[in-house]
């Protein structure tokens, strides 16, 4: 005689959980994109208090961490304009891109 147990399978909740995680990551990516767009007017409206800069940095972190297309877009911008990477702090590069900053060699004249 064989006895079957009715143990709940761990796979039953996996599709629901992965679908929720995917939806949450996309919402966070859209929030990050909106924060980047809103950081420009906020920065213009508050020139003495730099509120727009941290707002934009948080948007970049959300977009880079939660979206494949946002991550690729930011990597392509850094590849086209390597001097932009020099303004990003090392902790931000590790947080968003999971890598160190690339060394920019000076041009020989």
């Amino acid at each position: 005689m064989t006895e079957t147990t009715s143990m709940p399978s761990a796979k039953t909740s996996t599709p629901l959980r992965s679908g929720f995680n995917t939806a949450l990551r996309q919402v966070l990516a859209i929030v990050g994109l909106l924060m980047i767009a809103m950081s420009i007017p906020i920065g213009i409206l508050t020139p003495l208090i730099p509120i727009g800069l941290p707002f934009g940095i948080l948007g970049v972190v959300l977009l880079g961490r939660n979206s494949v297309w946002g991550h690729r877009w930011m990597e392509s911008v850094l590849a086209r304009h390597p001097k932009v990477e020099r303004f990003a702090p090392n902790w931000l590069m590790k947080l968003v891109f999971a890598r160190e900053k690339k060394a920019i060699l000076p041009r020989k004249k």
Side-chain angles (χ1 to χ4, degrees):
M1 290 190 173
T2 61
E3 187 177 319
T4 58
T5 59
S6 61
M7 292 180 55
S9 175
K11 292 183 180 181
T12 57
S13 65
T14 303
L16 181 62
R17 180 173 289 164
S18 68
F20 178 75
N21 286 343
T22 302
L24 180 65
R25 289 176 68 96
Q26 290 302 313
V27 167
L28 287 174
I30 291 170
V31 167
L33 191 61
L34 291 174
M35 288 180 76
I36 293 169
M38 290 302 296
S39 68
I40 296 168
I42 288 173
I44 291 171
L45 293 174
T46 59
L48 298 177
I49 304 170
I51 297 172
L53 184 63
F55 204 68
I57 289 173
L58 184 61
V60 166
V61 169
L62 284 174
L63 185 64
R65 293 287 304 245
N66 295 307
S67 168
V68 174
W69 59 269
H71 186 85
R72 286 182 189 160
W73 173 73
M74 287 189 285
E75 282 285 356
S76 69
V77 168
L78 291 177
R80 281 183 278 151
H81 309 287
K83 289 185 179 182
V84 172
E85 189 171 342
R86 131 181 99 155
F87 294 110
N90 202 25
W91 63 267
L92 184 64
M93 295 299 292
K94 286 181 183 179
L95 186 65
V96 176
F97 300 109
R99 66 171 172 85
E100 298 280 334
K101 289 171 64 171
K102 293 179 183 173
I104 300 174
L105 300 174
R107 290 187 194 179
K108 292 181 181 179
K109 292 184 179 183

